[in-house]
């Protein structure tokens, strides 16, 4: 059987396993192997689903949402039972992030530990709200090796195995998410851990709890949480479920970066006590506060799915010319997203031309343009995956000129858009723009208007094919289409009595060893480190996503530093 047909056969099997909803099964736990094209064949991956129903008070929801899911990574030579592993790392995802985002860091960490004679497991958690996603089209396109299959499913009503796309649920259709916030999120992790690792001693001795971005904040609240509602009994406390904590470009702390937590209004000082949380609760209940994080363009359910489709195209045919911008039907969301992401300057943005459809770009180039730190304008969505090649490039000054982030008093803009100069193709209807991978920075990189190269080998750390694979080949995907707003509002209002009643063990945050692994150019770059305790590791040149996706071998020939340090910490 040819490699292509073998891959198609295996991936088709994965589609069958994934598309079957666990909600109708009689068993309370399912585990199915996941087959990907990862070159790291020493790590086995499976998708685990455990039935943990929401309380009746949560409201009506799809049956699949009464299950919790995670990707289980383990070494092929390691023990079959999780409890017999040397360590189990359990990771909470960040905002707009799913379990598939942890693929590379999980594989690299497990491989590093195995080389030292230790067998780790890495559990990448999916939030409960990810049950609303329909990956049928992406996984069917993967099996058929044709991204048009995915587009036809999501945009043209084409049927796959008797199923048609029902559309993206609206705010009214996800009313139950108004009850899924911080309390439910930490409770879900606790319930999953207890069901999967019933021996409390195993949890306390072997589990490392952590996460990426917002996942570090969730971990801090988990550490403080009292799960039996009796502060006097601490065996159930979050910090007693973990042997240590790890933070991936985040901190183990309870405050959202760059904000101060809102305070409740003291009783007797103002009519209507605790207006903040009460107002938010009312807004979520009535729906005038959106129940999922969404914007008219760039950040919404459809565009998160578009990233998966772009990843699929780059995964299947990286050097082929992309036709997604023309094959996907035009619509307000896609048109506005393309315009916001691919405008060279304000004149181009307001004029509306040239558009991305006017350029010839490979599938890898499109994915790089969407997520690379020299193109993507939002720092929390950036990775360092290489650079454009094949045609004339221009400095991209939309939405923020590169020099502006260096203006005294405006340095904070770098936290929003990242510190790197942005570039964009500048020859419409011209040559085919290709993509140089992270390890192809050989002196041919174009120069910016200031005469310096847009990037250097030291600034590139993630392989474009690994990023594409992570986006497209997992039954629990890289992106999160329905991030529950209540999770963030609860954290912002965490000092109010209604929310803080169970986070009663502040000592829990420092109760266990901690490692903080920061991206050198990420969203926390330059922030004070005095609030960080335990071991601190900074990876130079890394962006916010790179701590999850960086290649096992870096351009300096050394092993990837984040996974190396994490494997050492797990020892």
């Amino acid at each position: 059987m040819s490699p292509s047909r073998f891959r198609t056969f295996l991936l088709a099997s994965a589609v069958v396993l994934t598309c079957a909803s666990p909600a109708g099964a009689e068993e309370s736990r399912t585990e199915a192997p996941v087959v990907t094209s990862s070159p790291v064949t020493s790590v086995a991956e499976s998708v685990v689903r455990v039935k943990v129903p929401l309380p009746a008070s949560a409201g009506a929801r799809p049956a699949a949402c009464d299950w919790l899911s995670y990707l289980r990574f383990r070494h092929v030579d390691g023990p079959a039972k999780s409890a017999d592993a040397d360590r189990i790392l359990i990771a909470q995802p960040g905002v707009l992030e799913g379990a598939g985002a942890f693929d590379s860091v999980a594989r690299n960490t497990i491989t590093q530990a195995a080389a030292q004679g230790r067998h780790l497991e890495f559990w990448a958690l999916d939030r409960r709200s990810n049950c609303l996603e329909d990956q049928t089209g992406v996984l069917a396109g993967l099996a058929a090796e044709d991204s048009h299959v995915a587009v036809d499913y999501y945009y043209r009503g084409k049927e796959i195995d008797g199923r048609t796309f029902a559309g993206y649920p609206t705010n009214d259709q996800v009313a139950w998410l108004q009850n899924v916030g911080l309390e439910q999120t930490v409770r879900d992790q606790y319930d999953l851990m207890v069901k999967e690792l019933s021996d409390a001693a195993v949890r306390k001795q072997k589990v490392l709890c952590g996460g990426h971005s917002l996942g570090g904040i969730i971990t801090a609240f988990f550490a403080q949480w009292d799960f039996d509602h009796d502060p006097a009994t601490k065996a159930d406390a979050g910090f007693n479920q973990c042997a240590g904590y790890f933070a991936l470009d985040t901190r183990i702390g309870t405050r959202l970066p760059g904000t101060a937590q809102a305070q409740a209004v003291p009783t007797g000082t103002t009519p209507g006590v605790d207006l903040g949380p009460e107002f938010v609760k009312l807004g979520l209940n009535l729906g005038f506060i959106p129940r999922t994080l969404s914007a008219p363009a760039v950040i919404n359910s459809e565009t998160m799915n578009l990233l998966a489709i772009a990843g699929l195209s780059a995964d299947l045919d990286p050097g082929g010319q992309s036709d997604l911008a023309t094959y996907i039907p035009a619509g307000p969301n896609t048109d506005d997203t393309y315009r916001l992401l691919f405008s060279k300057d304000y004149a181009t943005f307001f004029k509306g031309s040239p558009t991305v459809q006017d350029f010839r770009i490979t599938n890898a180039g499109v994915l790089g343009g969407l997520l690379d730190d020299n193109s993507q304008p939002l720092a929390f969505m950036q990775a360092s995956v290489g650079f454009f090649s094949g045609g004339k490039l221009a400095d991209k000054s939309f939405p923020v000129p590169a020099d502006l982030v260096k203006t005294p008093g405006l340095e904070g803009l770098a936290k929003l858009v990242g510190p790197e100069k942005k570039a964009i193709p500048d020859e419409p209807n011209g040559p085919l723009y290709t993509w140089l991978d992270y390890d192809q920075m050989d002196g041919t990189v174009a120069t910016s208007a200031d005469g310096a190269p847009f990037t250097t080998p030291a600034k590139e750390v993630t392989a474009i094919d690994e990023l594409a694979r992570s986006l497209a080949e997992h039954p629990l995907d890289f992106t999160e289409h329905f991030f529950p707003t209540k999770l963030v509002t609860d954290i912002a209002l965490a000092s109010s009595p209604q929310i803080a009643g169970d986070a009663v063990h502040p000592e829990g945050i420092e109760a266990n060893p901690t490692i903080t692994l920061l991206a050198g150019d990420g969203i926390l770059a330059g922030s004070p480190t005095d609030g960080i305790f335990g071991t601190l590791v900074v990876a130079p040149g890394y962006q916010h996503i790179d701590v999850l996706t960086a290649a096992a071998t870096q351009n300096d020939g050394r092993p990837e530093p984040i996974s190396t340090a994490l494997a050492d910490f797990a020892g």
Side-chain angles (χ1 to χ4, degrees):
M1 183 181 291
S2 70
S4 176
R5 291 184 62 194
F6 179 65
R7 177 184 176 195
T8 300
F9 168 76
L10 292 175
L11 293 174
S13 301
V15 171
V16 171
L17 290 169
T18 302
C19 293
S21 171
E26 293 182 1
E27 63 267 40
S28 60
R29 182 187 190 275
T30 65
E31 183 168 3
V34 176
V35 180
T36 80
S37 62
S38 172
V40 187
T41 56
S42 60
V43 175
E45 178 185 355
S46 57
V47 56
V48 181
R49 305 185 193 270
V50 181
K51 192 168 187 178
V52 183
L54 283 166
S57 59
R61 67 271 181 189
C65 299
D66 278 334
W67 293 69
L68 300 176
S69 303
Y70 68 96
L71 293 178
R72 179 191 178 200
F73 297 89
R74 64 183 185 88
H75 199 274
V76 294
D77 295 329
K81 288 182 59 178
S82 298
D84 293 334
D86 292 309
R87 292 282 194 185
I88 305 131
L89 287 75
I90 300 179
Q92 280 278 355
V95 178
L96 301 174
E97 197 169 85
F102 291 94
D103 175 83
S104 292
V105 70
R107 292 178 186 274
N108 292 343
T109 301
I110 290 169
T111 303
Q112 289 280 353
Q116 302 168 18
R118 293 175 288 112
H119 289 128
L120 308 182
E121 288 204 8
F122 196 112
W123 296 3
L125 304 183
D126 236 17
R127 264 185 284 276
R128 190 184 286 269
S129 55
N130 286 12
C131 64
L132 295 169
E133 297 177 8
D134 182 357
Q135 284 188 268
T136 303
V138 170
L139 291 174
L142 185 65
E145 298 189 350
D146 184 356
S147 60
H148 287 184
V149 170
V151 177
D152 289 344
Y153 177 76
Y154 294 113
Y155 288 94
R156 293 186 172 86
K158 294 294 182 69
E159 186 177 286
I160 293 176
D161 293 332
R163 181 172 183 168
T164 56
F165 183 54
Y168 301 100
T170 63
N171 194 46
D172 290 342
Q173 293 172 320
V174 296
W176 63 279
L177 286 181
Q178 69 196 31
N179 299 307
V180 179
L182 180 59
E183 179 181 4
Q184 190 62 56
T185 300
V186 295
R187 170 68 64 176
D188 283 348
Q189 179 173 341
Y190 176 79
D191 287 346
L192 181 69
M193 290 171 66
V194 170
K195 281 183 174 290
E196 293 289 270
L197 301 166
S198 58
D199 188 338
V202 169
R203 298 196 300 273
K204 182 56 183 170
Q205 295 167 11
K206 293 189 175 184
V207 171
L208 301 178
C209 303
H212 176 241
S213 194
L214 185 72
I217 297 173
I218 294 172
T219 299
F221 278 105
F222 181 87
Q224 294 188 13
W225 216 262
D226 190 87
F227 288 98
D228 70 354
H229 307 293
D230 181 0
T233 59
K234 297 185 179 182
D236 62 289
F239 68 87
N240 275 323
Q241 316 310 311
C242 313
Y245 312 125
F246 61 96
L248 294 161
D249 208 35
T250 183
R251 297 183 181 189
I252 304 299
T254 59
R255 180 168 294 176
L256 292 168
T259 67
Q261 284 179 345
Q263 301 294 317
V265 179
T267 303
T269 60
T270 305
V273 180
D274 300 330
L275 291 179
E278 288 302 325
F279 176 80
V280 170
K281 181 179 179 181
L282 178 65
L284 289 170
N285 288 349
L286 295 179
F288 65 79
I289 293 179
R291 296 174 179 117
T292 64
L293 184 64
S294 185
V298 183
I299 304 297
N300 55 55
S301 303
E302 182 184 8
T303 52
M304 291 300 103
N305 200 36
L306 283 173
L307 279 176
I309 297 173
L312 174 64
S313 297
D315 188 34
L316 296 174
D317 186 15
Q321 181 175 335
S322 174
D323 67 354
L324 288 182
T326 53
Y327 192 72
I328 292 174
N333 178 44
T334 53
D335 291 349
D336 289 348
T337 296
Y338 297 152
R339 198 166 177 176
L340 285 165
L341 294 180
F342 289 100
S343 289
K344 179 175 68 172
D345 49 30
Y346 277 88
T348 302
F349 176 76
F350 287 115
K351 183 181 178 183
S353 67
T355 67
V356 67
Q357 291 91 339
D358 295 322
F359 293 88
R360 299 174 61 231
I361 309 175
T362 64
N363 290 310
V366 168
L367 181 60
L370 287 169
L371 292 176
D372 187 69
D373 57 342
N374 294 114
S375 180
Q376 163 61 240
L378 297 175
F380 77 96
M381 294 179 67
Q382 291 175 357
S384 307
V385 293
F387 196 69
F388 284 113
S389 185
K392 179 183 176 184
L393 297 165
D395 288 74
K396 181 180 178 184
S397 59
F398 180 86
V400 179
D403 291 341
L404 194 61
V405 301
K406 301 176 183 178
T407 303
L410 296 177
E411 296 89 350
L413 280 173
K415 304 293 184 185
L416 177 64
V417 302
E420 305 304 327
K421 294 174 289 188
K422 305 296 187 284
I424 193 166
D426 199 33
E427 290 186 79
N429 305 308
L432 179 66
Y433 284 88
T434 57
W435 191 258
L436 297 172
D437 205 356
Y438 86 106
D439 57 355
Q440 295 175 329
M441 305 290 105
D442 57 1
T444 62
V445 172
T447 57
S448 173
D450 63 7
F454 278 102
T455 187
T456 66
K459 292 283 190 176
E460 303 301 328
V461 302
T462 290
I464 190 73
D465 61 337
E466 282 196 56
L467 181 61
R469 176 174 52 76
S470 295
L471 279 161
E473 294 190 9
H474 297 283
L476 306 179
D477 64 349
F478 189 113
T479 58
E480 179 179 35
H481 304 179
F482 303 96
F483 177 85
T485 305
K486 182 172 170 57
L487 180 52
V488 168
T489 58
D490 280 357
I491 292 172
L493 297 166
S495 59
S496 62
Q498 296 97 319
I499 297 170
D502 288 313
V504 294
H505 298 295
E507 74 280 8
I509 291 181
E510 298 189 47
N512 294 307
T514 299
I515 186 169
T516 301
L517 305 126
L518 297 182
D521 292 335
I523 60 175
L524 296 181
S527 299
T529 59
D530 52 350
I532 295 177
F533 49 90
T535 302
L536 173 62
V537 175
V538 179
Y542 277 45
Q543 298 294 340
H544 189 54
I545 301 298
D546 289 322
V547 297
L548 304 180
T549 59
T553 302
Q554 290 296 291
N555 278 323
D556 59 5
R558 298 180 183 180
E560 196 281 311
I562 297 294
S563 54
T564 299
L566 192 53
D568 290 343
F569 177 72

